[in-house]
Each structure stands twice: as C-alpha cells, then as structure tokens.
Amino acid sequence: EAGVAQSPRYKIIEKRQSVAFWCNPISGHATLYWYQQILGQGPKLLIQFQNNGVVDDSQLPKDRFSAERLKGVDSTLKIQPAKLEDSAVYLCASVPKGGQDTDTQYFGPGTRLTVL
Amino acid sequence: AQSVTQLDSHVSVSEGTPVLLRCNYSSSYSPSLFWYVQHPNKGLQLLLKYTSAATLVKGINGFEAEFKKSETSFHLTKPSAHMSDAAEYFCVVSDWGKLIFGQGTELSVKP
C-alpha cells in the first residue's frame, strides 16, 4: 500500500511570497490533516478535513493560510503572503475510514519550508 | 484539555543498553495515547498505541510502553538500544481524533 505523498519536499521562498503544498493521502482514507512542525517542537494541527469538508480549522491562521480538498482526495495548503515565522515542516496525515485503526494517523514525509 | 509532557528533551544511551523515554499525560477521561518516531528528513512513524485494552503495549522494533493511570504516565522502553534507534520520539494524546504532541525527546545512541 502506498503511503501519504507530499510535494515538494523542500521549498525556499522570500517573505511576502506565496507557496503551495500538495498532499495525496492513502487511497480510501477519508480524513486528512495538515500539521505545522516548527524546529524543536512537536507538530501542531492546522486543519482537519473529512472527505471534502472542513471539520476543524480553528488553529489555521486564516489571514494568510488556506487549504482545500475539493474532490475529497488530495489536498493543497497555501500560504500567502509568507512570513519568516512560517518556516517549518508541513506534515500531511490521513486516517482509515473504518475498522479498528480509525484513531491512527499515517503521516507523509513533509515539506520543509524556509522563508528568507 | 488533553496534554502530554515529555520529561526529557534529550536522552543519550550506549548501544546495547536500555532505553527509557518518559511521558506524563493529562486527560479528563481515559485517553488514547501513542508514541511516534521521526527519523531525520523522514515522516512520523507510529511505534505503538494504547486504547484502554492491555496496559502494557508492545510496538514495533522492540519498543513497549506501559500505561499507568495512577501515575498518569506512558513511558516508552526498549531493553537494548540499537544505533538505528537514534531519532526524535513524540508522545501523543488523542483528543477526539485530534493528535496533541509533546515537545519530543531526541534519542542519541553511542557505539
């Protein structure tokens, strides 16, 4: 079974530029999460999708961050404009739809963003 | 609110010696607890999870953790460290499906 795919793996931009990250979850996984992991810290949830609907975006800085999952499969996370403090690894995770594993999140390799 | 506290930011052991990574949790109800490992430039990998079944949970690569309600702890152990165990380890609590991560413990393994 293929894992969670993310691209790009690395991105360097200047502040005030925009950037987008892409995530393709494991096939059949209905729930998708985006996390931000700042260096030296644990990941923090940004947004949770169930199929193509937003379940929780309370921690998403909506003045600059946006995310969508239009067809309930892959998802994009966008930052516009980027700030220096957005430098972090952005992780995508997905969860199986049913069975005994519905509380286990499977993570992608992440996108490391550097804002100069 | 649910939370976890990892008591050590860095642990260093010699290869072949036991590993102990400490985690305390705070929860208003019986929690689901996890340990994840993150190798450099790799994604997070689930080591093990506790979901109110057996209090001693066995995971992958020889790791195990014991849920102690009286101590609100969920420490991760391994009898004998291997060089490949060097990584960042996260203790995690699930809050209605949302994962709340600890700050992480970096494990170094000396030859």
Side-chain angles (χ1 to χ4, degrees):
Chain A
E1 176 180 72
V4 176
Q6 290 189 249
S7 67
R9 291 294 311 276
Y10 305 91
K11 189 74 176 179
I12 300 174
I13 62 172
E14 296 191 349
K15 60 183 179 182
R16 291 189 289 273
Q17 286 187 320
S18 63
V19 64
F21 313 126
W22 176 81
C23 171
N24 192 18
I26 294 172
S27 178
H29 283 198
T31 307
L32 183 148
Y33 302 82
W34 282 101
Y35 290 84
Q36 180 192 58
Q37 184 178 17
I38 292 172
L39 186 65
Q41 299 181 16
K44 289 185 171 58
L45 179 68
L46 290 174
I47 188 167
Q48 176 187 354
F49 290 95
Q50 179 75 21
N51 297 309
N52 61 349
V54 175
V55 174
D56 183 356
D57 64 356
S58 59
Q59 300 302 307
L60 189 73
K62 299 181 189 63
D63 57 334
R64 297 184 301 106
F65 286 65
S66 64
E68 61 183 14
R69 194 184 183 200
L70 292 176
K71 296 182 179 178
V73 180
D74 55 347
S75 175
T76 56
L77 176 70
K78 296 178 182 177
I79 308 175
Q80 182 180 7
K83 292 185 175 181
L84 295 177
E85 58 261 35
D86 298 332
S87 293
V89 176
Y90 291 84
L91 295 164
C92 180
S94 65
V95 175
K97 193 179 299 185
Q100 295 184 346
D101 210 17
T102 55
D103 59 350
T104 300
Q105 296 189 20
Y106 294 85
F107 285 83
T111 296
R112 183 178 297 277
L113 173 67
T114 302
V115 182
L116 303 176
Chain B
Q2 313 269 58
S3 66
V4 289
T5 302
Q6 292 184 243
L7 301 175
D8 307 290
S9 59
H10 186 258
V11 170
S12 182
V13 300
S14 296
E15 190 174 22
T17 64
V19 175
L20 170 64
L21 306 183
R22 300 182 295 163
C23 172
N24 287 349
Y25 71 90
S26 173
S27 175
S28 55
Y29 52 87
S30 184
S32 291
L33 292 162
F34 307 78
W35 277 97
Y36 278 85
V37 61
Q38 188 174 39
H39 288 92
N41 299 314
K42 297 282 182 65
L44 287 154
Q45 181 184 20
L46 179 68
L47 277 179
L48 50 82
K49 66 178 180 180
Y50 166 78
T51 53
S52 74
T55 56
L56 183 62
V57 182
K58 293 188 184 300
I60 61 171
N61 300 335
F63 285 94
E64 62 182 37
E66 186 171 8
F67 174 75
K68 292 187 176 180
K69 186 175 180 179
S70 60
E71 299 176 9
T72 62
S73 69
F74 189 58
H75 300 336
L76 181 70
T77 60
K78 182 174 181 177
S80 176
H82 191 273
M83 295 297 292
S84 61
D85 294 328
E88 188 88 15
Y89 291 79
F90 292 96
C91 182
V92 184
V93 63
S94 176
D95 185 6
W96 295 105
K98 301 178 191 43
L99 297 188
I100 298 170
F101 285 75
Q103 289 291 91
T105 298
E106 183 182 358
L107 175 65
S108 300
V109 182
K110 298 175 290 188

